[in-house]
Amino acid sequence: RLALDRLADAVTACCHFSAEGLTKTDGFAGNRIEIVENGIDVDRYGPAADPAALKASLGLDPARRYIVHVARHHPVKDQATLLRGFAAAGLPGVDLLMAGDGPLREELDALAAQLHVRTRVKFLGIRTDVPDLMRAADVFALTSVSEAASLTLLEAMATGLPSVVTAVGGNPELIRHDKEGLLFPRGDAARCADAFRRLFDDPALAQRLGAAARARAQERYRLDRTVDEYFRLYCRLAGRTP
């Protein structure tokens, strides 16, 4: 790590949390780390023109509302807290969509059954239609115990979804509490449930947070902006004018 720090002409991080980790954990000199924030193809995402028709095309019930979660089933994503928070929220007419797969798949399935919500949790496996799943949902959830700058969270923001996420890593840099979404402490299923209830009980709040999230993604997290920043960095290192 010391060799990398000395030999590298530049060191970048995708968020301030990652930059702090490079300094405190990996020993890189903090004063030379440049923040180049992640970006996504914002135009690939956005609200559905006809939510009911989209839900039907995905095999979902147009009359129900949905929380969507997209991540590998792995301990760092802490889907157990997500399931416990969803069950504790007690929201009639709301289902949980879980896209992804991984080593905890069977364990999470068993937990959903134990919590008596198995019929309301849809384990979707690996999907290639995540933008449509996002558009069909009402709320996005991410309950990780650690994150850097989550691309999936950025995709939810670009879709215009209000998010319920843990206040860890770079999450608070992307989502500001009560501005673009709701943050809660990692592992706290009760606070997760409270956040779900707030959004589904107050449609105006959900709409305001979702609109603010989309505006923030459009303004700050466009992929072309990230590419341009890296291009300028490469040009500077090569002694070229951009």
Side-chain angles (χ1 to χ4, degrees):
R1 291 169 181 171
L2 289 174
L4 284 173
D5 192 25
R6 291 172 181 172
L7 293 174
D9 294 296
V11 180
T12 67
C14 63
C15 62
H16 291 281
F17 169 77
S18 291
E20 291 175 6
L22 285 172
T23 301
K24 295 178 181 178
T25 304
D26 298 325
F28 286 83
N31 59 359
R32 66 191 300 258
I33 298 174
E34 301 180 53
I35 307 296
V36 180
E37 293 181 316
N38 280 344
I40 61 166
D41 183 0
V42 172
D43 296 332
R44 188 183 177 203
Y45 299 85
D50 187 341
L54 177 60
K55 289 179 184 180
S57 71
L58 293 170
L60 302 174
D61 185 345
R64 298 187 70 79
R65 296 179 294 173
Y66 295 94
I67 298 167
V68 65
H69 169 79
V70 182
R72 68 190 188 280
H73 299 341
H74 184 277
V76 74
K77 299 300 181 180
D78 193 15
Q79 281 100 349
T81 290
L82 171 60
L83 289 172
R84 292 188 177 100
F86 173 67
L91 297 167
V94 178
D95 290 344
L96 173 61
L97 307 176
M98 296 184 64
D101 206 345
L104 296 185
R105 171 67 171 80
E106 292 184 5
E107 182 178 320
L108 294 171
D109 195 307
L111 178 60
Q114 178 185 331
L115 294 169
H116 306 292
V117 293
R118 182 61 188 86
T119 59
R120 296 171 51 214
V121 177
K122 301 185 183 301
F123 290 96
L124 304 177
I126 304 297
R127 301 291 291 239
T128 59
D129 57 352
V130 169
D132 282 337
L133 290 175
M134 294 275 194
R135 292 186 186 96
D138 301 272
V139 171
F140 173 78
L142 186 66
T143 52
S144 308
V145 297
S146 178
E147 283 287 346
S150 168
L151 294 176
T152 308
L153 177 53
L154 291 178
E155 291 165 357
M157 292 170 64
T159 304
L161 289 178
S163 297
V164 172
V165 300
T166 42
V168 300
N171 285 349
E173 297 180 42
L174 306 184
I175 290 289
R176 297 168 296 180
H177 185 65
D178 263 336
K179 290 188 175 181
E180 294 88 22
L182 301 177
L183 299 168
F184 70 96
R186 77 180 102 195
D188 193 333
R191 294 281 292 278
C192 178
D194 289 342
F196 285 148
R197 281 192 291 264
R198 279 192 66 192
L199 292 177
F200 282 100
D201 290 346
D202 189 345
L205 171 66
Q207 194 281 330
R208 175 174 65 80
L209 297 181
R214 177 160 171 75
R216 184 168 172 81
Q218 289 176 315
E219 176 185 356
R220 185 163 179 168
Y221 297 112
R222 286 187 168 276
L223 181 59
D224 54 2
R225 176 178 174 177
T226 303
V227 172
D228 183 63
E229 288 190 30
Y230 275 114
F231 176 69
R232 290 177 180 277
L233 171 62
Y234 298 152
C235 286
R236 190 183 79 220
L237 296 177
R240 292 171 47 189
T241 301

